[in-house]
Amino acid sequence: MARGWIISAQSRTTSTLLSTSVARLSLSSAKCRIPFTRSQYLPSIRLFCKCSHAHAVEHLTDMTKYRGAFSRRMAMAGLKPHHRIALGVSGGPDSMALCVLTAGWKTGGFNQNGEAGEFIDGLLAITVDHGLREESKDEANIVSHRVSDMGIRCEIVRCDWLDGRPKQGHLQEAARDMRYRLFQKVCIQHQIGVLLIAHHADDQAELFILRLSRNSGVLGLAGMAFSSQIFSSYAYSCHEDLKNHSILLVRPLLDFSKDDMYKICQGGNRDWVEDPTNRSPLFVRNRIRMSLGDLSSCSFKSELQAVISACRRTRSYVEHVCSNLINEAVTVMDQGYAVIDLEILNPSKIGDIFLSKFLALVLQFICQRQRPVRGSTSKLLLHYIRTFPCKTSLTAAGCYLCPAPGSRGTKALVCSSIDGPLPSKLELFQIHSDGEQRHCVPDVEQILEDAKSYSNHLIQDASDKLLLSMTSDSVLTEAKRFNMLSESTYKNILLLQREEIKRFKLDSEVTSDSQLMHAVERVGTYPSIPLQPGQVCYFMNRFFVTWKLSKENGSRAFPREVHSDGGLGEDSWNEYCSSCLVGDEMVAEVRHMIESDWLYLAKLSKGLSSGNLPLERVFMDEKTGQKVEKTNLCADYGRLSAKRAILSLKSIPVAARRSLPVLVSSHGQLLSIPSINFNICPCLMVSAVFKPKVPLGGGHSSFL
């Protein structure tokens, strides 16, 4: 998708440049050609191109084949025209072609032009104004009008850079992250569960060369998924059933080339935006794009796409095998850790590529750190898991691995390491009542089921030509051995790889160590944010934590031991409870469990004064009217609750305890450890549900 990081044609001195550029547009080509001007002018123009109707007539585009191919891809994704769908639209030829094809697919070819201001039902275009230039607002409005003329409702969302404009070296990455966050937010607000993005085959080729230069293995060289779940940063709840909602991201144009994008726009008689900064060598993708353009022979393109397709088939097969391994050998515990049965897994019989991916999926799930596990870390994990029986511990990729207690090394624990580079954002949201469910995104489960039924028969097996190599060089060697690559194409790909490696090393040398150090946030500095009653905290992207006070629950919650010798009615214990730490004005905070919490439980369970609760208080006897002293009910309840919590705690491995969420007062006093059912007071109701943002296995993805 073209992105507007440049000033529009209306800015100073650019009108002359614009007229010159338009005059140079070639009508003999399917695309709008942009003259390569001096680099200082590149940031000055955003060229709004118009499709020449005469040109479209002269070079008739066979839209039938494009629409047929698009419909097949949508069916492969499990999508049907009645589904509510959003489109990411920048106004470039790629996203405008996506609008043309989606509008036709939705309407069956009728009413694509938005007659009489009518919009196509269940279709929304989202245009992001990054706000990095003064002209971006006007440009977004122009794109919105063009999309609306197609009968597609368009919503413009604007970026709010709270930490200031991103630095030049991280501009594209920061803009992309912001763009996808806004896409998700708008989809949730409009109850849309599917987002279409206009990536195409040329984008895949660029990504292949980029990752090849970074020494990615075959799984990385598979490129972008055809369809995948992205899990929202915005957590919502319906009927108090806490869950995260996912959006299904689909790239239906991956079989189309860049030239196809221009032809589709012309076939639909639609205008588009050309962004001259896409020719700036300052950005790595632009450099690769221009280098690939110099190697535009049909044989080179087809052979490169054949290798990419082989990588994608390989990734599909590897993920299928890993899914089976997870189902057979991994048990996930409610306290937030996983147990790997090494006897069932039998690591010595599993190839490196499968075992490495299996471990990455398990570790990413436990720590919710979605960065790839590779390089020396991957090798370290492979060596660890293949050492049987398991006898030592290891900290890697945000997780702590150790032998499971009592298993004699036949099982390994995978626990979240609070000292690793883990998510440190604390998200707060409110539980919705029955009348506030308008933001609940429809489930995409049925769509995924339809997609799986389509693709199950396409899963490869070991007899296919799969590139099961761990390194990029060996992938190319294997592809050549399978006659996917000719000698000339093989050499040209290696040349592109070497050129980009040189540039990457130069760029890496100017990156300061201090920048890298500040890029990692650690859970050790986890922020303390007040948690009000009824609010929900998403702790470390792993636990939903919520609390409230319930006086009515107090009498029922008291253990029998307290009722048997307390001699108090329901009204009386409310009066007793008012002396403890819990009150209507209480503000709580959430943190992870620390060693002093265990010591506190042990002390409290023995009936020793904790300094928090008065052990006695004077009350009026209902029968005699005389003042009497009785043991404080909350102190008794806390003591008995601590005893039971210690028993529960013994069943949780020490390594897993540290990542459990606990509720504390604003002064840091322990109030509750909900995972082991400890509460300091019976009227305090706390819940902690282990429900990671991204599920085990990473959610649905298809590389068809």
Side-chain angles (χ1 to χ4, degrees), residues 433-464:
S433 64
D434 290 345
E436 299 177 306
Q437 297 177 32
R438 58 186 179 276
H439 293 323
C440 294
V441 178
D443 290 333
V444 298
E445 296 305 318
Q446 185 58 53
I447 296 175
L448 296 181
E449 286 300 318
D450 292 342
K452 288 176 182 177
S453 65
Y454 189 100
S455 61
N456 280 342
H457 67 282
L458 299 177
I459 296 295
Q460 311 298 311
D461 58 46
S463 64
D464 291 295

Side-chain angles (χ1 to χ4, degrees), residues 208 211-212 214-223 311 315 353 374 467 469-475:
F208 180 88
R211 291 185 174 177
L212 196 69
R214 306 300 192 262
N215 199 33
S216 290
V218 64
L219 303 184
L221 295 177
C311 291
R315 176 153 184 169
I353 190 170
R374 55 193 175 195
L467 306 177
S469 304
M470 291 289 288
T471 64
S472 56
D473 291 339
S474 56
V475 167

Side-chain angles (χ1 to χ4, degrees), residues 378-395:
S378 181
K379 292 179 181 178
L380 190 65
L381 286 165
L382 284 173
H383 175 74
Y384 178 84
I385 208 71
R386 283 206 166 109
T387 303
F388 186 85
C390 177
K391 295 181 178 179
T392 60
S393 61
L394 173 69
T395 300

Side-chain angles (χ1 to χ4, degrees), residues 62-259:
D62 183 8
M63 292 296 290
T64 303
K65 68 174 184 179
Y66 289 123
R67 291 189 177 118
F70 183 81
S71 295
R72 288 190 293 272
R73 295 298 281 180
M74 295 294 274
M76 291 172 65
L79 296 176
K80 297 178 175 62
H82 69 269
H83 287 136
R84 295 173 60 81
I85 292 174
L87 310 172
V89 179
S90 67
D94 308 345
S95 59
M96 293 304 289
L98 179 64
C99 288
V100 170
L101 292 176
T102 308
W105 174 78
K106 264 276 190 180
T107 62
F110 299 101
N111 191 33
Q112 296 183 52
N113 297 317
E115 298 178 3
E118 294 181 0
F119 289 116
I120 299 170
D121 186 46
L123 189 59
L124 175 70
I126 307 172
T127 297
V128 176
D129 172 12
H130 295 88
L132 298 172
R133 297 171 295 106
E134 294 180 0
E135 296 80 7
S136 63
K137 181 178 180 180
D138 293 335
E139 292 168 0
N141 289 332
I142 292 174
V143 172
S144 177
H145 288 310
R146 287 182 172 180
V147 172
S148 297
D149 288 342
M150 300 173 67
I152 302 174
R153 183 178 287 102
C154 185
E155 179 168 331
I156 300 174
V157 288
R158 293 179 170 82
C159 298
D160 186 7
W161 301 102
L162 298 177
D163 298 325
R165 176 192 172 104
K167 295 182 179 179
Q168 182 67 27
H170 303 284
L171 184 63
Q172 287 190 326
E173 181 181 359
R176 180 191 179 279
D177 291 343
M178 176 66 79
R179 189 161 57 249
Y180 276 86
R181 284 199 296 270
L182 292 174
F183 284 158
Q184 293 177 62
K185 185 176 182 179
V186 173
C187 284
I188 289 174
Q189 290 173 344
H190 289 273
Q191 302 181 56
I192 294 174
V194 180
L195 172 68
L196 304 189
I197 299 295
H199 291 125
H200 49 75
D202 289 30
D203 293 324
Q204 288 281 53
E206 294 167 15
L207 184 58
F208 180 88
I209 300 299
L210 174 61
R211 291 185 174 177
L212 196 69
S213 68
R214 306 300 192 262
N215 199 33
S216 290
V218 64
L219 303 184
L221 295 177
M224 294 173 282
F226 162 58
S227 64
S228 58
Q229 282 178 281
I230 53 176
F231 294 88
S232 176
S233 299
Y234 305 92
Y236 290 89
S237 169
C238 299
H239 292 297
E240 300 190 6
D241 177 23
L242 296 171
K243 60 181 178 179
N244 264 320
H245 295 279
S246 67
I247 305 297
L248 182 63
L249 187 149
V250 181
R251 299 179 175 92
L253 304 182
L254 289 181
D255 286 345
F256 297 76
S257 68
K258 183 71 173 184
D259 285 342

